[in-house]
Amino acid sequence: MKKLKRKAYDAALEPMQVELVDMARWAKECGQRVLVIFEGRDTAGKGGVIKAIAQHLNPRQCHVVALPAPSDRERTQWYFQRYVPHLPAAGEIVLFDRSWYNRAGVERVMGYASDAEVARFLEQAPAFEKMLTDDGVLLFKYWLGCDQAEQERRFAERLHDPLKRWKLSPIDVEARLRYDDYTRAREAMLRATHTGHAPWTMVDFNDQRRGRLTLIRDLLDRMPDIHVAPGALEFPPLAGPHRSECYDTVAPLPQFNAEG
């Protein structure tokens, strides 16, 4: 299948982003709490789809959470504890760029968690998520996949592109060699945590544009009726003529100065 062209992608994405704005207004008006978890292969495209979802939403309402490695203190806490403060309050949308499922993925594969810790996590995660959904949180879990050849191409792109080089870490380099290990870890995670109250949705991200559209469409289709008409807003004319702005401190750069 040929990869989706930019023009077709943009044309399909724009009306979905309008729906996402409607969803955010609905969440705010109704006090809904929306939590979306994004997991998947390294380079699959979690950041890109999160950006597409959040692009036109109010950042005070839509929060992207991408936690760093736990601190020494956090390592002594109950595993889910560091994630709890980031859960949505009424009217909020939270997008987790990786989540508590680090324990079932990278921590398991790279040996950062013991077998006992992983087993305890896989037992506790469904119960933790049941508490969230029972309390009314709308929880969606997505796993983004890509073939190893495509992953390798994206790793190489990050290596050679100075604007993307920051995305490539020593852990990523090691992950290149553990594609099958991550597959086995994912399958164990699915067996334990794919539940009726918090199911996983697997999305093919070999074509990232097509994957984004697929994921966003699925997310919107799984929402209840999100149509809430925007409130009336008066927009009276100005009382006088338009005023020009003044720049007294910093002059425009010469190459962008209309008089230059």
Side-chain angles (χ1 to χ4, degrees):
M1 184 181 297
K2 292 183 178 180
K3 292 194 174 182
L4 194 64
K5 299 293 186 182
R6 165 65 70 176
K7 186 175 181 180
Y9 167 74
D10 288 341
L13 178 62
E14 184 175 355
M16 292 187 196
Q17 289 183 318
V18 173
E19 289 186 68
L20 287 168
V21 171
D22 292 340
M23 180 194 76
R25 182 168 57 247
W26 161 80
K28 183 177 180 180
E29 291 292 326
C30 300
Q32 292 288 344
R33 292 168 290 168
V34 180
L35 175 61
V36 189
I37 288 174
F38 299 88
E39 296 287 345
R41 299 281 186 188
D42 290 322
T43 78
K46 295 177 289 295
V49 70
I50 290 171
K51 181 179 179 181
I53 292 171
Q55 183 176 5
H56 298 291
L57 303 185
N58 186 341
R60 295 185 180 89
Q61 179 191 14
C62 179
H63 308 292
V64 177
V65 178
L67 298 184
S71 66
D72 291 340
R73 180 176 184 274
E74 287 171 332
R75 289 188 182 94
T76 69
Q77 296 174 342
W78 175 50
Y79 179 71
F80 295 93
Q81 187 171 339
R82 69 192 297 250
Y83 297 97
V84 169
H86 302 281
L87 295 175
E92 293 182 343
I93 301 165
V94 173
L95 311 177
F96 268 105
D97 185 349
R98 297 200 183 276
S99 66
W100 43 84
Y101 282 100
N102 275 337
R103 175 133 295 178
V106 64
E107 291 187 22
R108 179 177 195 165
V109 173
M110 302 301 293
Y112 300 147
S114 67
D115 290 344
E117 288 173 326
V118 172
R120 184 163 57 250
F121 167 80
L122 293 176
E123 180 182 357
Q124 291 181 349
F128 176 65
E129 292 169 357
K130 186 67 162 59
M131 287 189 288
L132 296 180
T133 56
D134 283 351
D135 201 56
V137 174
L138 298 180
L139 173 60
F140 305 91
K141 302 189 301 189
Y142 290 99
W143 203 94
L144 285 55
C146 66
D147 298 335
Q148 190 173 26
E150 180 62 21
Q151 183 185 59
E152 186 70 2
R153 186 193 67 79
R154 294 174 188 175
F155 274 138
E157 183 181 21
R158 292 180 178 184
L159 178 64
H160 299 295
D161 185 342
L163 299 180
K164 297 182 178 181
R165 180 62 180 80
W166 64 271
K167 294 183 178 182
L168 193 61
S169 71
I171 295 177
D172 296 325
V173 175
E174 179 67 22
R176 292 177 56 237
L177 310 177
R178 302 191 180 217
Y179 189 91
D180 290 341
D181 292 337
Y182 275 99
T183 299
R184 286 188 286 269
R186 179 197 66 197
E187 294 306 301
M189 177 196 75
L190 292 175
R191 286 192 297 270
T193 64
H194 179 62
T195 62
H197 59 272
W200 281 99
T201 301
M202 318 295 286
V203 187
D204 182 350
F205 262 70
N206 280 297
D207 180 348
Q208 290 183 327
R209 291 171 183 166
R210 188 174 277 109
R212 288 175 207 149
L213 296 176
T214 300
L215 191 155
I216 294 171
R217 183 71 268 158
D218 180 82
L219 177 63
L220 290 167
D221 288 346
R222 290 164 65 187
M223 290 288 175
D225 184 4
I226 60 174
H227 180 71
V228 175
L233 182 65
E234 293 187 10
F235 203 70
L238 297 177
H242 295 174
R243 299 181 180 276
S244 297
E245 181 61 279
C246 299
Y247 301 93
D248 295 330
T249 55
V250 180
L253 294 173
Q255 59 267 43
F256 300 117
N257 189 342
E259 298 179 356

